[in-house]
Amino acid sequence: MAQEQTTDALKQQLRSAFDDMIQSFQEARDAIDNPALYPPPANERNLAEGYRYLLGFMLSGIERTLADPLYPRFRRAIQTTNRATIDNADAVYLMAEIDGNHSYRVRGKAADTRHWRGETPADGITAPQYVIFELSSGYAGDSGKLSEMQPGTRINTSTLDSSELLVADDGSFDILIAPEKPANYSGNFMLSKRTSRDVEHVGRYLTCRELFHDWANQDVMDLEILRIGCENEVKPPLSAREAAEHLREVGRIARNQVHFWNAFNAITLETYGQVPGGISEKMGMDRPFMPVNDMNPPNALGLATGGGQSSNIYAGGTYLLDDNEALIIETKTVIEPAFIGFHLANLWGESLDFESYPSNINGHLMESDPDGYRRWVVCHRDPGIANWVSTTGLPHGYTSMRWTYPTPPPKEHWPTLKVEKVAFEDIRKKLPHARTVSEQERADQRLIRHRHVQRRYRQY
């Protein structure tokens, strides 16, 4: 009888935890259509994509919750089924949860890496254009509140990118992650504990971004991560208490992430207009930080504005176009970056479909003009020229530019940026050197995209 009573009590505890998870999902769902929670303007596409966005955070919540920092593995933090946070359409985002009080070893192998050192690679498959590992003490959005962006709340305890990574001739490498660097150690190393503002921060989330330029020939790396000494310990089975905690945590992550990023987009980024005391006012701007049919000046914002790659210079804005309008985005780089990409996203922050549409064009996929400028044209219809960035028919969305610099250039050498709205019929007048692109070439480009996306996000 006692055993039956214990079992009945466990059943009820787990049912209660499951109900709590569902309640959190309901609260997350409210952010899709409740104006008080800052969703994008309600229309059929925004609502439909909002529910997909919610499912993505539910998936992310499950994967993150079931991860074990003592027995970590790399997984895709962002993929085609859970895009968010105005993600980079040229990137694969990998993450492994760790406990920075312990030591870990990452082992990897990449194809030809000579371009990481400024050399010319051989023909054939090569490593990603650029790779960066970052170890953070926190995960943006988990509190559900914008107050988490206060300086010092979370930090990167360490970063390591492909410009510094020691790689063997066969493309293999390893990285030691530990609270302290061993004496006389000279290999790749990432510190997992660091004190900042008199607060000790412990690394919890190891991320790896692999950025791609040549979608036809650059491929993802092989990676593994093991806690040092894990082979001497047996992982205990799951308990009912832990299962109940997992259920509640899945719901909490989904709820808080959706609430946070809605508020981040509306208040921090000022996507729908200036906010009193907001970032544009602090920067002395007379328009929203994310201006309409324009972009903010190149900036190096990072963890203080919700995260982002530490070696990037960013610029962003929104487009709002009808069928007879287009944007021409123009940039020039005094110092050539390791990576440059221009991307579009919907107002939930999901990158637009980059498999079937050219909704992003990076520095390799585009064609520069004779004067040394790079120019993209954003519009709904195909103008029949190179460097067309498709809105996929979405009238209102985000524009985003990324320039990656392993060594930050002096500010006077930062990229220039100019945005101009033009009539669709005037595109060719504004871009007289733009090459005409045939329908067959567009189809060939789409096939490269389909194949690359399958390779980048393969699960086997």
Side-chain angles (χ1 to χ4, degrees):
M1 178 64 73
Q3 178 63 38
E4 291 180 2
Q5 290 176 340
T6 299
T7 301
D8 288 343
L10 291 175
K11 288 180 181 179
Q12 186 54 46
Q13 289 172 18
L14 289 164
R15 278 182 169 271
S16 177
F18 187 90
D19 291 343
D20 289 344
M21 178 184 69
I22 297 301
Q23 176 60 36
S24 293
F25 287 164
Q26 300 278 19
E27 294 174 9
R29 187 276 314 274
D30 291 342
I32 307 305
D33 55 19
N34 183 345
L37 297 175
Y38 312 108
N43 57 47
E44 181 176 358
R45 182 160 174 180
N46 283 349
L47 289 170
E49 293 180 345
Y51 275 89
R52 178 184 64 196
Y53 178 68
L54 171 59
L55 288 172
F57 277 122
M58 292 165 66
L59 171 62
S60 176
I62 292 170
E63 292 187 334
R64 288 180 56 195
T65 297
L66 295 181
D68 187 334
L70 297 183
Y71 301 88
R73 59 181 61 93
F74 282 105
R75 59 177 178 77
R76 286 164 177 78
I78 292 177
Q79 51 191 319
T80 54
T81 51
N82 69 332
R83 302 194 297 274
T85 70
I86 316 181
D87 54 295
N88 183 347
D90 287 293
V92 59
Y93 293 78
L94 303 177
M95 184 170 72
E97 288 81 352
I98 72 165
D99 179 348
N101 294 299
H102 298 268
S103 297
Y104 299 80
R105 190 172 301 280
V106 173
R107 288 186 171 88
K109 189 168 186 180
D112 191 336
T113 63
R114 278 176 282 188
H115 56 289
W116 291 357
R117 299 178 293 277
E119 303 170 12
T120 301
D123 292 336
I125 300 300
T126 69
Q129 178 69 16
Y130 175 82
V131 171
I132 185 168
F133 294 89
E134 297 172 295
L135 181 53
S136 174
S137 63
Y139 199 92
D142 273 356
S143 71
K145 301 175 182 178
L146 293 180
S147 58
E148 73 174 54
M149 294 191 298
Q150 293 295 323
T153 302
R154 64 178 180 275
I155 68 167
N156 282 336
T157 64
S158 188
T159 65
L160 179 65
D161 75 0
S162 48
S163 70
E164 301 175 321
L165 190 67
L166 301 175
V167 183
D169 291 341
D170 65 353
S172 63
F173 60 88
D174 61 31
I175 305 168
L176 175 64
I177 301 172
E180 294 183 12
K181 187 175 183 178
N184 302 319
Y185 181 82
S186 59
N188 296 308
F189 179 76
M190 297 184 71
L191 187 68
S192 62
K193 293 175 74 171
R194 184 185 297 275
T195 298
S196 175
R197 299 174 183 261
D198 297 322
V199 176
E200 183 181 67
H201 294 269
V202 178
R204 301 292 183 185
Y205 300 97
L206 177 65
T207 60
C208 174
R209 287 176 172 88
E210 302 178 38
L211 310 187
F212 299 90
H213 262 178
D214 183 351
W215 284 30
N217 295 300
Q218 291 177 346
D219 205 356
V220 295
M221 305 184 300
D222 291 328
L223 288 172
E224 74 166 28
I225 179 171
L226 291 172
R227 177 173 53 87
I228 295 175
C230 69
E231 69 277 13
N232 298 319
E233 301 175 16
V234 177
K235 185 177 179 178
L238 183 69
S239 69
R241 177 187 61 79
E242 291 170 324
E245 290 176 353
H246 286 170
L247 291 167
R248 292 189 173 97
E249 180 70 359
V250 169
R252 186 191 69 82
I253 288 174
R255 185 263 183 207
N256 286 357
Q257 286 286 325
V258 175
H259 283 221
F260 174 88
W261 290 108
N262 273 18
F264 177 85
N265 292 340
I267 297 174
T268 304
L269 296 186
E270 301 180 318
T271 299
Y272 312 112
Q274 281 187 288
V275 174
I279 191 170
S280 62
E281 184 178 305
K282 294 175 182 176
M283 295 178 68
M285 302 167 63
D286 60 359
R287 59 183 185 174
F289 183 65
M290 286 287 192
V292 178
N293 291 332
D294 205 346
M295 298 176 75
N296 51 49
N299 59 77
L301 304 176
L303 287 181
T305 52
Q309 184 179 308
S310 58
S311 56
N312 273 352
I313 292 175
Y314 289 93
T318 64
Y319 70 87
L320 181 59
L321 302 170
D322 63 33
D323 284 346
N324 298 312
E325 296 175 322
L327 292 183
I328 295 177
I329 317 293
E330 174 184 294
T331 185
K332 190 170 187 177
T333 52
V334 177
I335 300 175
E336 190 67 4
F339 166 88
I340 181 172
F342 177 74
H343 322 87
L344 301 182
N346 64 20
L347 294 177
W348 299 105
E350 296 178 308
S351 57
L352 298 186
D353 181 351
F354 49 78
E355 184 175 7
S356 295
Y357 301 85
S359 64
N360 71 296
I361 300 183
N362 63 46
H364 176 84
L365 299 177
M366 74 178 312
E367 298 179 14
S368 298
D369 285 341
D371 59 3
Y373 283 84
R374 291 182 171 99
R375 294 181 174 93
W376 297 260
V377 56
V378 178
C379 51
H380 302 307
R381 294 180 282 146
D382 187 347
I385 61 174
N387 301 345
W388 170 48
V389 183
S390 172
T391 65
T392 73
L394 183 68
H396 188 191
Y398 284 116
T399 57
S400 177
M401 186 82 77
R402 291 167 167 89
W403 301 268
T404 298
Y405 288 100
T407 301
K411 197 160 187 178
E412 61 269 22
H413 291 157
W414 281 16
T416 64
L417 182 64
K418 177 183 175 183
V419 181
E420 181 182 7
K421 187 174 81 168
V422 301
F424 184 86
E425 62 184 14
D426 291 336
I427 292 174
R428 284 192 173 272
K429 296 177 186 176
K430 293 287 186 177
L431 302 173
H433 300 288
R435 183 176 60 84
T436 298
V437 176
S438 68
E439 291 185 7
Q440 182 58 51
E441 186 173 349
R442 292 284 192 228
D444 293 342
Q445 292 169 348
R446 282 194 296 274
L447 183 57
I448 289 173
R449 288 176 174 271
H450 282 293
R451 286 175 169 166
H452 172 78
V453 169
Q454 285 204 38
R455 291 200 313 276
R456 194 200 302 182
Y457 295 104
R458 60 182 178 261
Q459 300 288 342
Y460 53 87

